[in-house]
Every structure is written in C-alpha cells, then in structure tokens.
C-alpha cells in the first residue's frame, strides 16, 4: 500500500502544535532543586556495615518489644535532645534539655507529661547508634507512664543508614508522629525516619542523595555497584514494609553524594513520606471499624481528605497546619463522643482538658485551648505497656488520592503540631 504524505502546510501546522505542547509541559513542570554540600561524610547517608554481595540482603527489623532495651551508660555526642510536654513550640520552646539518659533521668524528665498523655522530643543532630538507643529508651519510659502520644520534632542532616533503618523500625513499632518544622531539614538517611512515622508533617526541607560506602574495598565501578546493590536492597525492604515508595531508593542512586536533591511537596506525597503513613492507615482502619464503627471511619476519611486540600499546603508551617486542622475537625463531628481519644488531633484535647481543669485562662495561640500553669506532679504509675496510639487521621496518601486526582553541618531548626496524631 502506498504511503500517503501529508500536505506540507498541514505537516508544518502539526509540528508547531506538537512543539507548543512540549513547551507547555516543560514550562509547567516544577523545577528540580539541588544544592551542594561541603562534607557529606559529616551527615548524609553513610553506610559502613559489611555486606554480602552474593546473598539476599537481610531485613533488619527492630524487635517489637523494646522492654529489653540496653540501659548501659550512653551519651549523645552527635546531637542535642530536649523533652517538652507542650506542642506549642513557638510559645513554649523546646522544653528541658536532656543531659542524662539513664532510666531514672528520662522518667523524671517525662513525668510531668504523664498527666497530659503527650510529649515531644526535639532532636537536632546526626542519626547514629546513640539516637536509636535514645528512641528505644524513650518508648519504654513513655509506656511506663502511659504517654501514648509521641512527637519526634527533628532537624537532621542524616547519618548512618543502618541506624536510620533500625531507628525507623523502632519508631514504627512504638507509634510516633514526626515533624520537620519550618527552618529544619531532614536530609539523606533522615528520610528513612520519615518512612517509619505514623504521621509526618513537613514544613522544612527534605533532601536525598547517594549512599556513601565508607568501608568499601571496591576498586572498580562494578565492585562498588555490587556493594551498593546489597545496601539498597535493605533500603528497599525497609521502605516497602513501612508503606513508602521504593522509588525513593532508585532516585537516591542518581544523585551524587556531594549534592542534595530537594524533594518537592508533591514528591513527598507521591513517595508516601508526608501525612499519614499508608501502611499504618490500613491497620487503623480495621481497628477503628471494630472499635468506633463505620460512620466514624467514614468521617475520619472525609476529614483526612479535607485536611489535605485545606490545611496541608506547601506555604504553611507546622503551626498553621495544626491550627487549620483543629478548626476543620468540628465540621466532621470531632471530637467524637463515643471515641474521643481516637478522634483527629485528640492529643490537643488532652492538653485542653487538663489545663482547663487547672483554671488557667491563658490560651495557646495555635491551638485555641487553655494552656496549663504549674501542673500537678504526676502520680506514680505501675510500669505497664501502653496501648499503641491510634494513627492520626489527618493526612494519608490514599486519602489525598481520593480528594485529588551527608550534608553540610546541622541546619537550624525543625510534624504537625502533633497535628496528625489522633
């Protein structure tokens, strides 16, 4: 059959139209932002663990029961940590600095938070073995004091990959909300911590790059690639079990470790690193259906979609998102009379009820609920493992879809003002 050729004028018109479409797509695509880092070894994503390049990488899942935690003496040389019972960091600051990390010291630091049932750990620094040990210890003490609402308020340029995976599994097992406040960063291996959180609220910057093999014996590109393939296999396993996209690992491979690829808000949602953890959301949906009923779950889902479209905007900081979420939930019948502690942002109700009883007239600027003056000393409690906190009903990757189609040294600063932890 002879090939029919388009008339020249028609062919030119088609080419011009195609070029215009391509330019439009290029013009509307968000720019990819990369920044240079001075010394990635000081933060970044560093791997030094031995690997067997011929074996399937093991999945280093953390022990669910953190009761057997190691209480041997430790310090925190690569970072600073403080404890606060307040979620209003803008007015109340970051609480009491931790200078001792034994059981009694941590229990004393967290005792006042037992009445409220919520505490916030502000951590600035690198992810190391000491950070993982701290997260395990805090989870044990929080269980003893029945503090079910836990916020990790982080500002980190990264650190050891294997420790970030171990710490992320601890975070996943012990039910934490993670904030990256405005002005804070979560770079390199810190991204793995985000994957472990029940809920993530991000007002700062999140960046990724290649993993550095500090203990590598490779002398060729092929040898280095075999080593990295084993390490990235562990990373993919970790991301998959925590509901994050394994594409994050693939994207890391393409970014030199002297640079950082800053993830956009859309990418964070796409990769399951922002809002409610989709894996945890599935578990909570089943549990809440049994406990609170189908109507509760339906309203919770509707609230999550509304939060995504109304409150979780790139131009808002953590404080503004929390305030917006608190104002929004009344439209969906929250707090729920039958399941108040499972309702979205229920941690703020705990704070409000306690301080109102104390008769304090001052009000939190971002919460609109009374803030306590001196709190009564926490009553002694019998150590017991607390029931895990429910997943926040604020922002889930699935709900969003329903509503709408290492580094330079530690940066200054820091998840939803516990906003999405119900």
């Amino acid at each position: 059959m002879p090939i029919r050729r388009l008339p020249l004028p028609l062919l030119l018109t088609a080419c011009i139209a195609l070029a215009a479409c391509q330019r439009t797509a290029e013009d509307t695509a968000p720019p990819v932002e990369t920044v240079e880092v001075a010394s990635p070894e000081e933060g970044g994503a560093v791997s030094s663990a031995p690997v067997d390049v011929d074996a399937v990488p093991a999945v280093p899942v953390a022990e669910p029961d953190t009761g057997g935690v190691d209480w041997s003496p430790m310090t925190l040389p690569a970072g600073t940590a403080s404890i606060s019972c307040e979620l209003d960091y803008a007015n109340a600051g970051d609480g009491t600095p931790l200078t001792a990390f034994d059981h009694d010291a941590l229990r004393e630091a967290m005792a006042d938070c037992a009445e409220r049932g919520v505490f916030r750990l502000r951590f600035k620094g690198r992810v190391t073995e000491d950070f993982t040990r701290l997260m395990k210890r805090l989870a044990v003490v929080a269980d003893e004091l029945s503090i079910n609402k836990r916020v990790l308020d982080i500002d980190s340029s990264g650190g050891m990959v294997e420790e970030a995976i171990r710490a992320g599994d601890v975070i996943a097992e012990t039910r934490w909300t993670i904030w990256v406040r405005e002005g804070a960063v979560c770079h390199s291996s810190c991204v793995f911590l985000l994957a472990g959180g029940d809920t993530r609220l991000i007002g700062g910057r999140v960046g990724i790059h290649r993993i550095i093999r500090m203990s590598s014996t490779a002398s060729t590109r092929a040898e280095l690639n075999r080593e990295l393939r084993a390490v990235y296999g562990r990373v993919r396993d970790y991301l998959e079990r925590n509901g994050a996209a394994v594409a994050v690992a693939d994207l890391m491979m393409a970014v030199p470790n002297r640079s950082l690829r800053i993830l956009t808000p859309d990418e964070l949602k796409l990769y399951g690193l922002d809002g409610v953890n989709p894996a945890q959301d599935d578990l909570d949906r089943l549990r809440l259906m049994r406990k609170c009923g189908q109507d509760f779950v339906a309203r919770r889902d509707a609230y999550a979609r509304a939060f995504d479209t109304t409150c979780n905007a790139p131009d808002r900081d953590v404080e503004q998102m929390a305030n917006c979420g608190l104002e929004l939930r009344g439209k969906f019948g929250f707090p729920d009379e039958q399941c108040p502690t499972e309702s979205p942002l229920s941690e703020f109700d705990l704070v409000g009820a306690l301080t109102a009883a104390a008769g304090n007239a001052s009000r939190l600027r971002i919460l609109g609920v009374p803030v306590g003056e001196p709190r009564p000393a926490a009553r002694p409690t019998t150590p017991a493992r607390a029931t895990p906190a429910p997943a926040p009903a604020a922002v889930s990757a699935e709900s969003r879809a329903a509503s709408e189609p290492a580094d330079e040294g530690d940066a200054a600063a820091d998840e939803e003002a516990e906003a999405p932890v119900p």
Side-chain angles (χ1 to χ4, degrees):
M1 178 181 294
I3 298 175
R4 299 182 60 184
R5 297 183 178 179
L6 292 174
L8 183 58
L10 183 57
L11 182 60
L12 289 174
T13 301
C15 290
I16 292 172
L18 179 60
C21 291
Q22 290 176 335
R23 284 196 301 272
T24 300
E26 292 171 357
D27 292 343
T28 57
V32 173
E33 182 181 0
T34 59
V35 296
E36 297 297 310
V37 294
S39 179
E41 293 84 357
E42 293 302 316
V46 181
S47 172
S48 59
V51 294
D52 182 354
V53 297
D54 297 319
V56 176
V59 180
V61 181
E63 326 77 59
D65 181 9
T66 56
V69 64
D70 175 15
W71 287 100
S72 59
M74 65 164 280
T75 59
L76 203 62
T80 60
S82 57
I83 294 289
S84 176
C85 308
E86 303 285 352
L87 302 178
D88 180 17
Y89 60 87
N91 289 327
D94 291 327
T96 305
L98 292 178
T99 56
F101 304 94
D102 59 277
H103 181 276
D104 290 343
L106 293 180
R107 188 178 176 99
E108 181 180 357
M110 298 168 63
D112 286 347
C113 303
E115 288 290 337
R116 298 184 175 220
V118 58
F119 83 100
R120 173 168 56 95
L121 169 69
R122 170 64 165 163
F123 177 80
K124 297 181 67 175
R126 295 172 54 213
V127 180
T128 63
E129 181 181 4
D130 292 320
F131 173 77
T132 305
R133 294 174 68 189
L134 176 62
M135 296 304 294
K136 289 182 178 180
R137 294 182 180 195
L138 290 173
V140 168
V141 176
D143 283 347
E144 292 175 359
L145 297 174
S146 297
I147 304 175
N148 296 336
K149 310 293 186 177
R150 308 160 188 185
V151 177
L152 170 59
D153 182 357
I154 195 164
D155 183 5
S156 174
S157 61
M160 303 302 298
V161 170
E162 288 77 17
E163 288 305 327
I165 289 176
R166 292 187 185 100
D169 279 326
V170 171
I171 289 169
E173 292 292 343
T174 53
R175 310 301 304 270
W176 291 74
T177 285
I178 302 178
W179 299 353
V180 182
R181 286 180 354 202
E182 57 283 359
V185 301
C186 184
H187 289 163
S188 306
S189 61
C190 176
V191 171
F192 303 142
L193 303 182
L194 290 181
D198 277 14
T199 297
R200 294 67 54 94
L201 200 70
I202 300 171
R205 289 157 68 87
V206 178
I208 59 174
H209 58 188
R210 282 175 65 92
I211 293 173
I212 307 169
R213 282 288 297 161
M214 299 301 292
S215 61
S216 175
T217 58
S219 58
T220 67
R221 189 183 300 175
E223 291 174 349
L224 179 60
N225 185 63
R226 283 195 293 271
E227 288 186 7
L228 287 175
R229 187 182 303 146
V231 176
Y232 278 99
R234 296 171 182 170
V235 169
R236 289 186 180 91
D237 286 337
Y238 169 78
L239 294 171
E240 188 173 51
R241 68 176 173 265
N242 282 294
V246 296
V248 174
D250 297 329
L251 186 57
M252 291 176 73
M253 288 287 285
V255 184
N257 57 48
R258 66 176 180 277
S259 302
L260 272 171
R261 166 74 148 75
I262 305 300
L263 299 179
T264 67
D266 287 344
E267 287 174 329
L268 289 169
K269 296 174 184 177
L270 178 66
Y271 297 144
L273 296 173
D274 186 17
V276 171
N277 187 308
Q280 189 61 47
D281 195 44
D282 284 348
L283 286 174
D284 286 330
R285 180 183 299 276
L286 298 174
R287 180 181 60 81
L288 292 176
M289 188 77 73
R290 294 189 294 266
K291 179 179 180 179
C292 304
Q294 185 172 354
D295 175 68
F296 179 95
V297 173
R299 286 185 286 116
R300 174 179 175 268
D301 290 344
Y303 171 84
R305 290 191 291 269
F307 184 95
D308 281 341
T309 57
T310 306
C311 303
N312 193 12
D315 60 342
R316 292 189 173 188
D317 57 31
V318 170
E319 189 178 7
Q320 292 170 324
M321 288 185 229
N323 187 40
C324 174
L326 287 164
E327 294 177 354
L328 179 66
R329 64 182 186 159
K331 298 179 180 179
F332 297 89
F334 295 118
D336 184 81
E337 291 184 2
Q338 300 301 318
C339 286
T341 60
E342 305 286 1
S343 299
L345 311 188
S346 62
E347 63 278 7
F348 294 118
D349 299 324
L350 295 174
V351 173
L354 178 65
T355 55
N360 185 7
S362 63
R363 304 182 71 79
L364 272 175
R365 174 166 57 87
I366 68 167
L367 306 182
V369 295
V371 180
E373 294 177 343
R375 292 184 296 278
R379 294 185 298 274
T381 59
T382 302
R385 185 163 181 83
T387 301
V395 276
S396 117
E398 294 177 358
S399 298
R400 293 194 181 95
S403 66
E404 296 185 84
D407 314 327
E408 286 183 306
D410 295 334
D414 358 77
E415 156 179 27
E416 161 196 352
E418 231 288 284
V421 186

